[in-house]
Amino acid sequence: MFSRVSLILIGAAYIYYQVNALDCGIAELEVENNITMETQTILSLLNTSVSIQLESGSFNVTISEIELVSECFLIGDTTSCNCSVGYSWSNEVCYNSSCCTETTCTQNVAHIEPLCVAKVQVSIYGTVTLTSGSWDADKTTKLKSAFRSRLNGYESLNVTGSSGGTADFKAVVCIKLKTSVLNQLLEDLMANLSAKVRVDTVGMVDITAPEESVCYKCSPTLECTFEEEANSTGWKLIREHKHLELTDGSVVTLKDCDSKNSSCIAVKLKEVTGTGSGTYECRLTFGSVTHTAKAKLKVSLLPEEITMKIDPLVADCSGSINLEVTVTATIQSSTESYDISWQFPGAELSRGSEPAPGDILVYSVRSEFSCEERTPTKWEVSFKNQKKQTKNESVDILVIREIGKCCTGDGIWPKTPNGATVINHTCENGKTGYKSRTCGKDGEWQTEFSTCISKELKKILTAAEVFKTGIGATQEAAMWIFESLKNTTTSKSSNDYAGINASISIINIMATGSENITLKEEVFDDFLEAASNLLANNWTGVNSSIKYDMSSQYLYGVENLVKNIQVKNTLKISKPNLDLKVSKGDCNSLVFNVTVKLTETGVQFKTVGVRNLMDKLNNSFKPTSTAPYNLLLIVTKNGSSSTEITMDFPIKKLNDTQKLHCVFWDTNIKDWSDTGCRVERDSNHTDGNHTLCKCNHLTSFAVLMSKSDTPNLDLDTITYVGLAVSICSLVILLIIEALVWSVVVKTDLSYFRHTALVNIGVFLLLADCSFLASMSPENLSAHWCLILTLCKHLFYLAMFSWMLCMSVMLIHRLIFVFNPLRKRVFMFLSSIVGYGCPVLIVGISYVYCRYNEKEYYEKDTCWLVFDGTLDGSLYSFLLPVGTVIFTNLFSMAVVIFTLVKSSAPDGSKSDEKETFKSIIKVVIFLTPVFGVTWGIGFLLLIFKDHKAYPFLQYSFTILNSFQGLFVMLTGVFAEPKVRQELLKCMDKGKYDTMKNSTSASNTKER
């Protein structure tokens, strides 16, 4: 029987579905026919539209291209198969039927699929390293023989170079090999040659990438696919002859992609810039074999930074009409061909001058500036790339229009208008950056601000930024960055604000990068020395807010780097300002004489002591507190399980006016917090010179010492007794007022006085009750603590408001003798001042704190917050109270002055004595009801560290705890009418009792 089997490849076959959707595919068609029919006849028959029946239905197909792949002749039991030109035997045919060359295959292979495959060029680059001896021609022969006999589609092998016992070679095959076959070949070679052999292939892996250049800050994806599953994968970026490893970072994201192939890896670039432009290489490793594929990615660039300079910096139009201005725009040299345009006052778009080639490109334009009032003052440059994307930058010229309203020239700083900030891009000693200086509204220059840093530090900063992206982020790159940073921080040229701030930025950038990129313990030494060097400086020349931000950023960077740097076992590194101890298994650690202990054992934890940073951090937790040890601890551990930490600080014994706080640095609020932490005395040290700080979480810890809120048993006792007496006295006061009210308020003046006195008594009673309820804040919930704080704030303000009403009423009576105040007017005004104002002040202060996310009250005192000078909710109490006390002191002074003046004409000694007595009575009677004793509280704030502080503290506690008693004695019993009416009530009571007794006796006798 004679027959022919033809394998026909039908390429780009268009299939029309019922929904008129167009699809394209490649199919293989096997035709078995009589030997008398020529293959060309079959091809001509297929070269038309045909209908193909598939499992999913029947479809009309238009064939666009047909190619003959192979032919097999079957003559009896004899088979003769050949691949067409451009095709080679498949791996299945080669390794199962031993048909590996392009000659005719006589094996029965017609049934194998695929039979022949299209040729591709696969290059194999390898290195042979002998364990002993040197490379020679005999070994070259063995190498060629092994590849020729074992590899399908073998074409050639050449040794490209040899030196000693090492030889490099390149082999070429025309088919994608089976990796297992290649690996077995290498294993046999290693055994036969006593050598190590590794190879990289090109052409085995398919890579897809954007064919055209991508836009600036786009997010392209590159994919590599392979039919077999790899042991390990990776990506490289080849740029400027450097092979940069790719890892996950701010720009690079490595991931597996969805594909029908066993191996599919992808790299996604987020907002790619010039740093991501170059040749990308994917690697799939199988034992000693690494399959690679390369693709070039071109990015349409835009300048990363445009530095604008203008000359002159300031246009003095006070005496000129027109000025010539030169503006330059400087960018880094780029391969992108930019379309540059300028826009400036008095001109349309202009190209300006073209720069000379070099590392930097400087574009410039000259124009005439008119001093007319409405002339624009902005020069703008625009860079457009090939993708029509643009980046603009502008600079404004400062204009002096009036003589005298400016700062005079000072060195590099020209005459500048009031309230303006001038920027100068001139840095000394080859530094890079800029300087700025503001001319105050008063015409005086303010402090110069500089961002000029050395070129070495700028280079390190740029390297850290690239490291964070994930491009070239290797251990070696990190070690170079930290070693260079260590060297620059020892230089005096980097000890100014700009140098320290840039160094802290580098630490923060590396900390962010370490979240995705593995750093090993070898970087610790240089990193800690660089970080320690930064704390050797006082960070002068900057305001408090900038210093707080710098110190917070420093702490964040150091803490996260310590946490993320991997350490195998244990480690101990000590620097002048940082002390690191890494423990594993042992739950104790000692840094800077502070003992740290974890309740959890068997885990690795890192402890770092940091000196000279506490005084640079913000402290709104206890603004008046200090750090007695000027030390904070950073503690981290592996895993996320909860644990308790105990820190033993060798802090000296405190006096009665001091209190310690165990706190941690809260990164959310950038301040200290004591949540989850507490202070305990160390029972193991009887000298009392040790303080235990215990917390139930890990982060950065410290101990703060305050001088104001330490409990004192004597003061507490006086407060409790005084409040009890005051509350009872105020209750008696209100009862007496109720009994004698109708008698003592017959005149308007008496009505005014007793109305104010009753309100003072009621609000003082409520305030004292609220104060007594909040004497143990640790036993109150946050909800009740807030309620009691609001009550005390409101009731004390209301009490002082009515004291103010009484004071103003007295002054009005003395000054306007013949114009008495009407009752209706007094009640209206007093209600506004005594009720409305306190509610308004408390409400506004609470809403203000909530809106600005500030604390309204202290949880450990249930009272208002003091955050520093004119900062904190406490001032919503101090300012109104201070105003009332000042007004009341003024009222007392007026009363005393009136008494002295009225007795002056007589001049006798007896009259002087009576006047003196009257003054003493005024002071004694008015001081409690005018709240003057609260003025001692202001002295406590002023003389906090004075020797008289304990005396003032006891005086304030006694006088104000017993204020209710003093108000009752001086406000009620000191008034004759009240005493007389009270005695009448008592006599009437006795009379009624005697009358009832007599009546009862008479009844008995009857």
Side-chain angles (χ1 to χ4, degrees), residues 832-969:
I832 294 175
V833 175
Y835 302 134
C837 289
V839 172
L840 195 62
I841 293 171
V842 172
I844 291 174
S845 62
Y846 179 73
V847 171
Y848 174 81
C849 291
R850 287 292 300 271
Y851 180 77
N852 290 280
E853 297 182 354
K854 292 185 176 182
E855 292 292 335
Y856 171 73
Y857 70 103
E858 293 272 9
K859 295 179 181 178
D860 55 348
T861 60
C862 289
W863 186 229
L864 304 175
V865 176
F866 175 75
D867 287 334
T869 306
L870 295 179
D871 189 14
S873 59
L874 184 61
Y875 283 97
S876 64
F877 177 77
L878 292 179
L879 294 178
V881 169
T883 303
V884 172
I885 292 174
F886 177 80
T887 305
N888 290 353
L889 284 171
F890 175 76
S891 300
M892 289 177 61
V894 170
V895 172
I896 293 170
F897 177 76
T898 304
L899 290 172
V900 172
K901 185 178 181 181
S902 61
S903 60
D906 298 334
S908 64
K909 290 186 177 180
S910 59
D911 289 336
E912 289 180 1
K913 188 179 292 185
E914 290 298 322
T915 302
F916 181 73
K917 288 181 180 180
S918 300
I919 292 172
I920 294 298
K921 287 174 64 178
V922 168
V923 172
I924 293 174
F925 291 164
L926 294 185
T927 294
V929 293
F930 277 8
V932 178
T933 55
W934 282 74
I936 301 175
F938 289 90
L939 297 179
L940 287 172
L941 295 175
I942 298 172
F943 299 104
K944 185 164 292 184
D945 298 320
H946 198 271
K947 293 181 180 179
Y949 183 82
F951 172 76
L952 293 173
Q953 195 173 25
Y954 276 91
S955 301
F956 179 77
T957 304
I958 293 171
L959 291 174
N960 288 286
S961 296
F962 289 91
Q963 186 179 8
L965 174 64
F966 299 145
V967 169
M968 182 190 73
L969 294 176

Side-chain angles (χ1 to χ4, degrees), residues 400 402-408 415-418 439-440 442-444:
I400 299 176
E402 297 182 42
I403 300 176
K405 293 187 176 181
C406 61
C407 294
T408 58
K415 187 164 65 171
T416 303
N418 293 358
C439 175
D442 56 355
E444 295 293 328

Side-chain angles (χ1 to χ4, degrees), residues 657-725:
T657 63
Q658 295 173 324
K659 180 180 179 180
L660 293 176
H661 305 272
C662 180
V663 294
F664 75 95
W665 185 254
D666 192 333
T667 55
N668 295 322
I669 62 174
K670 293 184 179 181
D671 204 345
W672 297 107
S673 172
D674 60 354
T675 304
C677 296
R678 64 185 185 279
V679 174
E680 295 184 2
R681 302 306 299 177
D682 190 358
S683 59
N684 296 326
H685 297 85
T686 56
D687 59 359
N689 289 338
H690 286 260
T691 299
L692 292 183
C693 178
K694 289 190 175 183
C695 296
N696 57 16
H697 52 80
L698 301 182
T699 182
S700 300
F701 303 97
V703 170
L704 297 176
M705 181 179 67
S706 64
K707 298 182 180 180
S708 56
D709 59 351
T710 304
N712 186 300
L713 293 177
D714 293 337
L715 291 177
D716 287 348
T717 302
I718 293 172
T719 301
Y720 278 116
V721 173
L723 286 175
V725 173

Side-chain angles (χ1 to χ4, degrees), residues 412-480:
I412 64 170
W413 305 106
K415 187 164 65 171
T416 303
N418 293 358
T421 300
V422 61
I423 297 176
N424 194 316
H425 288 273
T426 303
C427 292
E428 67 281 358
N429 301 325
K431 292 185 175 182
T432 179
Y434 68 89
K435 295 179 180 179
S436 65
R437 198 175 185 187
T438 300
C439 175
K441 293 183 178 180
D442 56 355
E444 295 293 328
W445 283 110
Q446 297 182 5
T447 305
E448 178 183 297
F449 180 81
S450 174
T451 65
C452 295
I453 59 175
S454 65
K455 291 183 178 179
E456 293 80 8
L457 195 56
K458 179 68 174 178
K459 184 178 179 181
I460 302 169
L461 184 60
T462 302
E465 289 283 3
V466 175
F467 184 93
K468 185 180 69 171
T469 65
I471 300 174
T474 60
Q475 177 75 7
E476 292 74 19
M479 291 185 68
W480 181 88

